[in-house]
Amino acid sequence: MDHIISKLLIYGDLPKDSILAQMADICRQAREHTQGKDQLAARVYHQVKQILVIATDYGFDRNLWQNYLTFLLMTDENPFSLTCEKTGAQEGSVNYFAKQDFKAFRELFHYDFRWLEEELSLDCFSRLTDYKAIVKPELMYNKNVSEKVRALSERLDQAEDENAFFDLVTEFYRDFGVGMFGLNKAFRIASSEEGKIVFHAINNMDRVMLDDLVGYEIQKKKLVDNTRAFVEGRKANNCLLFGDSGTGKSTSIKAIVNEFYPQGLRMIEIYKHQFKDLSNVIAQIKNRNYKFIIYMDDLSFEEFEIEYKFLKAVIEGGVETKPENVLIYATSNRRHLIKENWSDRDDMETGAGIHRSDTIEEKLSLVNRFGVTICYSKPTQQEYFHIVEELAGKAGLDLPERELRAEANKWELSHGGISGRTAQQFITYLQGQA
């Protein structure tokens, strides 16, 4: 195996602690008898455990070794894979080196571990190549990733040569991309010890779709129209969804990401204290072949909070323009985002000579940078009953309309008032009592 991996050029920059690099070293030492069999067996078991951890996380089954290698190919961000993501495989000298790498990967796909098992008295790899997963699909957080890996793995297993292998991998890069952005819908950010921005996939994102949000048809249409223009490469605006709590603002954003994920839409959730990192986040995603929504939930600022200045500079006003593949979507219970006082309306402060009109302009300048503002107002009593009835029907609850409305009315009186969230909580309660 070490001889095969030594041939890798484009995909050869493997971390020393990676499964593939470790297995290559184990095979080399087993062949050269430079390490004891017990020690080598222990190292093999450790790597097998690592493969099983990945398989459990992503719901792999059947040939876990091939699933692992496929996952490695799908997540390796290198100049070749990133170029294929943007433009597909183009004619060029780099294809020669890529095909040599894929020839090596094809050998790894069909690597015969029997000699190693006989040498170390093991049978674990024979079991890994015919593994039966016990994780049910509905329990998997990474079902989307699992399906993609397993589907490509099966096709690569049938590839006749490195040319067929090349076509399958580059086709995947073109259609789905490479790395975590190609496999996941949504992300959070964190800072590494070196101060760099690190993206973490949100694996258990709500699977809500727009049809699941009852009512608010005008609001949903404005949001869909703007997002569709964005993913299709046309001009689109930053969006602010504001209004009463529990009316579906955050749910609408999640549904939008789920609806347009197949067209390359991705979401990055950022919290207020991370606004200082916005420029670095955008720098890392601006050249990727995806459309990114930077999502800010429950956005509002008190007078003493100045983080909104970072946001203003990023949206508009900075020297560097915001890239075409990035939009900012925010939700807020406040129309103007920043807390206002009645004293702001006085043009002059008594005895001090300070212009308060400048304060108002400063506070309104942030919301004015969102080209689309959509109001989600609290539903009327009749609209609330309609939401309850629709949700009850989708949940399969069969209650007389009068009884359902009476119980829904009692519920909202003691659970925060009329809202879509209250209606959903009421239906959840009824399902728990069924």
Side-chain angles (χ1 to χ4, degrees):
M1 180 179 291
D2 52 309
H3 295 308
I4 300 173
I5 293 177
S6 66
K7 301 175 185 176
L8 294 175
L9 175 64
I10 296 174
Y11 294 87
D13 190 18
L14 296 169
K16 290 184 178 179
D17 61 347
S18 66
I19 295 172
L20 193 54
Q22 284 293 308
M23 285 305 306
D25 187 63
I26 290 169
C27 288
R28 180 183 62 79
Q29 297 211 40
R31 189 180 64 253
E32 296 175 356
H33 303 289
T34 53
Q35 192 171 17
K37 291 186 178 181
D38 290 342
Q39 292 174 302
L40 288 172
R43 292 179 63 190
V44 168
Y45 286 139
H46 179 70
Q47 299 311 315
V48 169
K49 180 182 177 181
Q50 295 299 104
I51 293 175
L52 290 172
V53 168
I54 295 174
T56 302
D57 286 344
Y58 293 99
F60 298 160
D61 64 356
R62 299 181 66 180
N63 195 320
L64 299 191
W65 175 248
Q66 292 184 352
N67 286 169
Y68 162 70
L69 293 175
T70 303
F71 184 71
L72 203 62
L73 286 168
M74 293 165 72
T75 55
D76 193 319
E77 296 182 0
N78 57 63
F80 174 75
S81 61
L82 290 172
T83 300
C84 290
E85 174 188 283
K86 296 175 186 176
T87 62
Q90 302 294 315
E91 293 296 328
S93 300
V94 70
N95 289 358
Y96 170 81
F97 299 110
K99 288 181 180 180
Q100 293 304 305
D101 276 18
F102 291 147
K103 183 178 181 180
F105 262 99
R106 186 170 177 275
E107 290 182 56
L108 292 171
F109 248 69
H110 302 286
Y111 190 81
D112 190 349
F113 285 98
R114 284 180 296 180
W115 76 269
L116 182 64
E117 292 180 324
E118 291 173 3
E119 179 74 20
L120 302 179
S121 301
L122 305 172
D123 68 348
C124 48
F125 282 100
S126 299
R127 298 185 182 279
L128 284 184
T129 54
D130 188 22
Y131 186 79
K132 293 179 175 58
I134 59 174
V135 179
K136 295 181 180 179
E138 61 270 17
L139 299 179
M140 287 162 40
Y141 285 149
N142 296 283
K143 183 178 179 181
N144 176 64
V145 177
S146 176
E147 290 173 346
K148 285 186 171 62
V149 172
R150 287 183 286 127
L152 180 59
S153 179
E154 291 176 8
R155 296 177 69 191
L156 291 175
D157 179 44
Q158 301 299 318
E160 295 181 356
D161 53 27
E162 63 269 24
N163 294 313
F165 211 98
F166 175 92
D167 292 339
L168 289 169
V169 175
T170 55
E171 179 185 351
F172 181 90
Y173 289 156
R174 184 196 63 210
D175 293 343
F176 298 104
V178 60
M180 66 171 65
F181 291 135
L183 295 173
N184 298 280
K185 298 177 183 178
F187 307 85
R188 293 191 181 95
I189 66 166
S191 297
S192 66
E193 294 180 357
E194 297 79 21
K196 296 181 179 180
I197 300 300
V198 179
F199 294 91
H200 296 288
I202 301 174
N203 295 322
N204 56 340
M205 181 176 166
D206 193 343
R207 297 176 184 175
V208 64
M209 304 299 281
L210 284 171
D211 289 341
D212 298 326
L213 182 62
V214 181
Y216 299 98
E217 298 303 325
I218 295 175
Q219 291 88 335
K220 288 191 293 185
K221 185 178 186 305
K222 289 179 69 175
L223 189 61
V224 168
D225 288 347
N226 189 73
T227 308
R228 179 174 289 113
F230 179 49
V231 299
E232 291 178 356
R234 294 179 280 120
K235 294 293 183 181
N237 282 296
N238 302 307
C239 284
L240 172 64
L241 282 60
F242 70 94
D244 299 300
S245 62
T247 51
K249 302 184 293 295
S250 300
T251 302
S252 295
I253 302 292
K254 296 170 189 174
I256 278 290
V257 175
N258 288 329
E259 295 277 354
F260 289 96
Y261 166 72
Q263 287 100 302
L265 184 65
R266 303 293 184 267
M267 180 178 78
I268 300 172
E269 184 175 28
I270 292 185
Y271 301 107
K272 194 173 3 181
H273 69 276
Q274 298 172 318
F275 284 179
K276 64 182 183 300
D277 297 320
L278 270 171
S279 296
N280 291 331
V281 171
I282 291 175
Q284 290 193 44
I285 63 178
K286 65 181 180 180
N287 293 321
R288 299 303 299 268
N289 194 31
Y290 302 98
K291 303 294 184 180
F292 291 94
I293 286 176
I294 295 180
Y295 171 50
M296 304 163 184
D297 190 31
D298 198 18
L299 187 63
S300 65
F301 301 92
E302 300 300 325
E303 285 187 292
F304 59 85
E305 294 178 312
I306 62 170
E307 290 89 346
Y308 72 91
K309 295 180 184 291
F310 294 109
L311 181 55
K312 284 174 58 179
V314 167
I315 297 178
E316 289 178 26
V319 175
E320 184 178 14
T321 59
K322 183 167 61 63
E324 292 294 324
N325 70 328
V326 176
L327 282 185
I328 294 174
Y329 279 20
T331 66
S332 178
N333 295 336
R334 287 180 179 171
R335 171 66 176 85
H336 290 151
L337 300 180
I338 305 171
K339 184 179 179 180
E340 299 174 84
N341 297 310
W342 279 108
S343 59
D344 294 339
R345 297 182 178 273
D346 297 330
D347 187 55
M348 298 287 290
E349 183 177 3
T350 305
I354 298 175
H355 287 275
R356 292 293 188 179
S357 59
D358 292 346
T359 304
I360 293 178
E361 287 300 317
E362 170 71 9
K363 290 185 173 182
L364 294 181
S365 62
L366 176 58
V367 72
N368 289 338
R369 299 190 184 199
F370 288 90
V372 174
T373 55
I374 307 173
C375 178
Y376 282 68
S377 57
K378 186 176 294 186
T380 64
Q381 185 80 53
Q382 285 301 117
E383 288 171 336
Y384 170 68
F385 286 148
H386 172 67
I387 294 172
V388 168
E389 290 163 5
E390 287 290 320
L391 292 177
K394 291 182 179 182
L397 297 173
D398 187 16
L399 287 174
E401 181 181 310
R402 179 175 295 181
E403 180 182 347
L404 184 64
R405 290 192 172 199
E407 292 300 318
N409 191 50
K410 292 178 186 177
W411 181 270
E412 63 90 0
L413 289 173
S414 58
H415 290 83
I418 294 173
S419 72
R421 179 183 296 150
T422 302
Q424 181 61 67
Q425 291 171 345
F426 171 61
I427 296 302
T428 302
Y429 165 77
L430 291 182
Q431 288 177 297
Q433 301 303 305

